Amino acid sequence: MTDILNLNKIEMPHHVVSVMYLITERDYQCFMVGDTVRKLLLGEPMGDIDVITNAEVERVEYILDNYRVININPVQGEIMVMAGGIPVMIRSYRRGKNEDGTPIFGGTLIDELKQRDFTINTICADLYGNIVDPFNGVNCIISEPFTLKAVGENEPPTTDENGEEHCVPLSVEKDPLFMLKALELMGSGDYIISEKTSNAIMDCSEKVKELKPKVLREAFEKILSAKRVSDVFLEYVSIVTNVFPELIPTLDFDQKSIFQNYTLYEHLCKSVGFSFPDISLRYALLLHGVGKPDCQALTSNGSATYYGHVERSMLIARRALERLEVPKDIIEDVSFMIIHHDMGEILDEHEVTALLEKYSKADLRKLLLMASANLRAKSPENDQKANNLKKLSESLLK
């Protein structure tokens, strides 16, 4: 990690200073906030540039009349301008939301920062680069991995007119998208989630079902694509099962097999984590055994058989993905991989050559990658065979 050079000040990008100067010259407040402030504190290249102000968006447009406007959205209180060849997003202070989710404007800097997700994204810098950090976000980035604390975590309880104290709701309790964002960031491997925020996420996990299917899918797929996805899925089971209740029967399901070291849910999560970050492939691995609990039949020696589970898993997966409004081409890919996933484990180089007359290289490669991840997730003893299948899949790229 790059050492933090100065916790109190950053060197401001000159093109942002020019924009902020024009706004503050008219006696408005103006701060750079969020991603770029954090990265400049860490000595990293700039990210997206966000500026916040107590000026209304129409007023900002008037003040910056010499700048090229890329986009303006008065309903959301946003205007994006080009400054020195760099897009700068400027937002008016918010102090809450209407019932339809649109912002309520006005209020103070603190009111605006309370609308944000995590304390690391509330760190501000003024026109001169002085750090303004009312929610102690800097403390969360002084060592790796960084710590995610929901906005509100450090606030003292409020007291009502009867003298009773009430805890301030955390940002993740108010907005389910913030919960999913926390899991996405944890999945990157760069962040851990504080205990209080983590508990709030698990306690409020049902709220993800309030999201529209497309919004939920897009947020979930960011987690699904993450480097440490299996760690996230194993720790935040309640989030995963509220997105896919079809997985609930797999949670403590004993597969009663000498070839499996884990419960069915653990196996599915681990297989996703061992796979190439392709959305179709990861959906297929997450759901490829979801039909097993419906198809288990115990034998006289205490082991189990699962006749028909492949077809059953495919049907359950299709319904689940359709509910999330997953594009049809991805659903077809997932269905193909689930139906044929057992075949991939037995393929060798000669069989692959023969099957190329029936299947495309892309389809066979996905089956081999799925088989490789599936084998590794059954037992560490399968690592060598899994690596061989992965190498075989790479040969199809030539």
Side-chain angles (χ1 to χ4, degrees):
M1 171 182 170
T2 303
D3 291 336
I4 298 177
L5 302 178
N6 189 333
L7 295 176
N8 301 311
K9 193 165 186 175
I10 58 174
E11 184 175 347
M12 293 288 287
H14 65 86
H15 51 276
V16 180
V17 170
S18 299
V19 169
M20 293 175 65
Y21 175 79
L22 291 173
I23 296 172
T24 56
E25 189 183 34
R26 306 296 179 96
D27 292 327
Y28 292 106
Q29 293 180 1
C30 193
F31 298 91
M32 190 166 70
V33 68
D35 187 53
T36 287
V37 177
R38 184 174 69 255
K39 289 188 174 182
L40 290 175
L41 274 171
L42 296 168
E44 297 176 358
M46 291 190 306
D48 295 332
I49 297 176
D50 287 301
V51 170
I52 51 176
T53 177
N54 59 343
E56 296 179 352
V57 66
E58 293 85 359
R59 185 62 177 161
V60 174
E61 183 182 21
Y62 173 78
I63 293 170
L64 302 179
D65 61 335
N66 288 329
Y67 285 81
R68 181 164 69 89
V69 175
I70 302 173
N71 184 48
I72 184 168
N73 186 341
V75 174
Q76 294 298 324
E78 300 174 345
I79 181 171
M80 181 178 285
V81 300
M82 289 297 292
I86 303 295
V88 177
M89 175 64 78
I90 306 165
R91 294 181 171 91
S92 300
Y93 287 175
R94 303 160 295 170
R95 56 183 174 84
K97 290 182 180 180
N98 295 303
E99 289 185 3
D100 63 358
T102 56
I104 301 171
F105 300 112
T108 65
L109 172 65
I110 297 298
D111 292 327
E112 160 61 29
L113 298 181
K114 284 181 178 179
Q115 309 307 311
R116 294 179 170 260
D117 47 15
F118 309 110
T119 59
I120 60 169
N121 290 325
T122 64
I123 308 169
C124 302
D126 68 12
L127 175 66
Y128 306 102
N130 299 311
I131 295 299
V132 179
D133 187 25
F135 293 100
N136 297 316
V138 170
N139 287 340
C140 294
I141 62 169
I142 58 177
S143 62
E144 292 183 323
F146 305 139
T147 301
L148 289 176
K149 288 186 177 182
V151 172
E153 181 170 324
N154 297 327
E155 291 192 52
T158 58
T159 304
D160 63 21
E161 58 186 13
N162 298 318
E164 295 183 3
E165 289 190 346
H166 301 275
C167 292
V168 174
L170 304 188
S171 60
V172 293
E173 296 174 302
K174 295 186 288 185
D175 191 334
L177 273 177
F178 291 167
M179 293 193 287
L180 297 173
K181 181 66 175 180
L183 270 57
E184 176 195 345
L185 291 173
M186 175 187 167
S188 72
D190 297 328
Y191 297 85
I192 57 173
I193 303 174
S194 73
E195 183 178 0
K196 188 173 182 179
T197 296
S198 180
N199 289 338
I201 290 172
M202 289 187 276
D203 290 343
C204 297
S205 56
E206 284 195 9
K207 289 190 175 183
V208 298
K209 294 189 288 190
E210 299 172 3
L211 297 169
K212 293 181 180 180
K214 182 181 178 182
V215 174
L216 176 57
R217 171 177 60 81
E218 290 176 348
F220 184 80
E221 287 181 355
K222 291 177 181 177
I223 305 170
L224 191 64
S225 302
K227 180 171 60 177
R228 290 183 53 214
V229 58
S230 71
D231 293 337
V232 174
F233 283 1
L234 289 169
E235 184 168 345
Y236 292 93
V237 176
S238 58
I239 291 288
V240 181
T241 53
N242 272 293
V243 178
F244 286 111
E246 294 84 359
L247 288 167
I248 292 174
T250 73
L251 293 182
D252 298 310
F253 188 78
D254 183 354
Q255 300 185 72
K256 299 186 183 300
S257 169
I258 60 173
F259 303 108
Q260 295 279 0
N261 287 16
Y262 310 102
T263 66
L264 180 53
Y265 181 78
E266 289 171 337
H267 166 73
L268 297 174
C269 293
K270 288 178 179 294
S271 69
V272 173
F274 284 131
S275 70
F276 182 80
D278 172 89
I279 288 297
S280 298
L281 178 59
R282 289 196 164 179
Y283 269 136
L285 284 162
L286 180 63
L287 301 170
H288 76 273
V290 74
K292 274 191 169 184
D294 295 337
C295 301
Q296 187 184 64
L298 299 179
T299 64
S300 58
N301 64 5
S303 61
T305 60
Y306 297 96
Y307 297 117
H309 88 273
V310 170
E311 293 78 11
R312 177 66 178 155
S313 296
M314 186 269 287
L315 291 173
I316 294 173
R318 287 188 71 94
R319 286 199 294 265
L321 297 177
E322 287 167 356
R323 184 182 67 247
L324 285 181
E325 298 181 3
V326 173
K328 290 183 179 179
D329 59 332
I330 292 179
I331 294 177
E332 294 306 320
D333 272 354
V334 172
S335 299
F336 170 81
M337 283 185 277
I338 291 177
I339 284 292
H340 296 90
H341 77 270
D342 283 337
M343 180 183 75
E345 294 187 12
I346 60 173
L347 292 180
D348 60 27
E349 187 173 352
H350 300 295
E351 289 167 317
V352 166
T353 301
L355 286 170
L356 283 174
E357 296 181 6
K358 185 177 180 180
Y359 301 110
S360 69
K361 282 187 175 183
D363 284 343
L364 276 181
R365 182 169 181 267
K366 284 186 177 181
L367 289 180
L368 289 165
L369 288 171
M370 185 171 184
S372 175
N374 195 27
L375 278 170
R376 289 187 69 187
K378 288 180 179 179
S379 170
E381 296 176 1
N382 294 329
D383 282 359
Q384 185 57 54
K385 185 176 181 181
N387 286 334
N388 291 340
L389 289 175
K390 188 174 181 181
K391 289 178 182 178
L392 189 55
S393 75
E394 292 169 355
S395 70
L396 294 174
L397 295 173
K398 299 176 182 178

